[in-house]
Amino acid sequence: MPTFATSPTTQHGARDKTWRKLVGLTLEQLSERSGINIAQLSLHENDLESLTAERQQLVERILRVEMSKRRHEINQALGSVPSDRREKVREAVAV
């Protein structure tokens, strides 16, 4: 699970964009879930504008929940894979 450090001097945008794409969310979906305007999220993801600490924490929480859902789906799918092949499958889908 990713760890997100919160610091007013740290640029989070590029990292958030990478994680958003890894969990399969569009910018529009993140905007809908967070209530943050798409334009502001886009500026943030390109490190052109910082989010307030509260909004940054909200984005991070949404991304953590989505990552957790994705891992749960992978683990469920692994249940049908023979035990001797599970580790190779985990390595192939590791995020």
Side-chain angles (χ1 to χ4, degrees), residues 1 3-5 10-11 14 17 21 23 25 29-30 35 40 43 46-47 56-57 61 65 75 80 85 87-88:
M1 191 72 128
T3 55
F4 299 100
T10 303
Q11 295 298 317
K17 183 177 188 177
K21 288 183 174 189
V23 299
L25 286 180
Q29 289 170 320
L30 182 57
Q40 186 178 13
L43 289 169
N46 289 294
D47 289 324
Q56 180 62 47
Q57 290 172 354
R61 196 171 343 164
V65 166
N75 286 333
S80 62
R85 300 186 74 204
E87 191 56 39
K88 288 188 182 212

Side-chain angles (χ1 to χ4, degrees), residues 24-87:
L25 286 180
T26 65
L27 197 56
E28 183 177 5
Q29 289 170 320
L30 182 57
S31 174
E32 290 170 0
R33 292 179 191 191
S34 66
I36 302 171
N37 181 288
I38 291 176
Q40 186 178 13
L41 283 172
S42 179
L43 289 169
H44 164 68
E45 286 189 350
N46 289 294
D47 289 324
L48 298 173
E49 182 177 299
S50 296
L51 296 176
T52 64
E54 181 179 281
R55 286 184 167 194
Q56 180 62 47
Q57 290 172 354
L58 176 61
V59 167
E60 291 170 0
R61 196 171 343 164
I62 291 167
L63 294 174
R64 278 195 297 270
V65 166
E66 291 304 314
M67 181 59 71
S68 178
K69 286 180 188 177
R70 181 175 170 143
R71 286 178 186 224
H72 179 72
E73 291 168 0
I74 290 169
N75 286 333
Q76 282 186 321
L78 285 173
S80 62
V81 175
S83 60
D84 61 325
R85 300 186 74 204
R86 287 183 189 160
E87 191 56 39

